[in-house]
Amino acid sequence: MATGTDRIRQLMSKGAWQEAGALLEKLVATEPGSEHHHNLGICLAAQGRLEEAAVFLAKAVESEPGYVPCQRDLGLTLCTLGRVDEGRNWLIRAVEAAPHELEGRVLLATLLLRSEAAEEALGHCRMAVKIAPGSAEAQRLLGRALTELGKYDEA
């Protein structure tokens, strides 16, 4: 028989965000913790409830400051809410905490390129390609950064 946490994971993997979120809301009331807060934040964000998601993601990071996936998700959620400076700071923290992780680098580079900070994005793009040379997304971002900086020969 599946535990409550197993059931929540199954629901999340199927995209049943509302049902998983309802179970998580009950769970965080009795067993608060970074993983439950993080998962609830993901469920709320998937339902478009971004303000609420940001609150639970922040609680997860507060209870476990080094929780890199949550730092990343909080940064992305804050950016989506238009709180770009806060989101950027969380993405930077995630990259600093896990410098060889691709996802954080890609998210930060994407944000920087959208913010017209191609010079700052370039280093993250280069590192993303170094981390995962076969990543089409990393290659695309590097090409975009080089092009925006007028370094056509390198693009």
Side-chain angles (χ1 to χ4, degrees), residues 38 49 60 124 154:
H38 183 206
R49 298 165 57 188
H124 295 289
E154 294 179 58

Side-chain angles (χ1 to χ4, degrees), residues 6-50:
D6 290 338
R7 176 74 179 133
I8 291 166
R9 284 191 188 110
Q10 290 170 350
L11 291 167
M12 289 176 71
S13 72
K14 294 178 182 176
W17 303 113
Q18 192 168 3
E19 190 177 348
L23 292 173
L24 280 160
E25 285 176 352
K26 292 176 186 175
L27 192 57
V28 298
T30 58
E31 297 177 38
S34 59
E35 182 182 359
H36 301 322
H37 283 105
H38 183 206
N39 286 334
L40 181 53
I42 291 170
C43 289
L44 292 168
Q47 295 174 64
R49 298 165 57 188
L50 298 176

Side-chain angles (χ1 to χ4, degrees), residues 24-104:
L24 280 160
E25 285 176 352
K26 292 176 186 175
L27 192 57
V28 298
T30 58
E31 297 177 38
S34 59
E35 182 182 359
H36 301 322
H37 283 105
H38 183 206
N39 286 334
L40 181 53
I42 291 170
C43 289
L44 292 168
Q47 295 174 64
R49 298 165 57 188
L50 298 176
E51 289 288 348
E52 293 170 86
V55 169
F56 283 98
L57 293 168
K59 285 180 182 182
V61 169
E62 186 179 300
S63 67
E64 191 176 338
Y67 192 15
V68 173
C70 194
Q71 291 174 344
R72 232 187 12 245
D73 291 341
L74 178 57
L76 184 59
T77 300
L78 292 170
C79 288
T80 304
L81 284 167
R83 294 162 56 184
V84 176
D85 288 340
E86 285 178 85
R88 178 181 177 168
N89 289 337
W90 281 109
L91 290 173
I92 289 169
R93 287 182 193 182
V95 166
E96 288 173 349
H100 299 294
E101 184 199 58
L102 180 63
E103 189 174 355

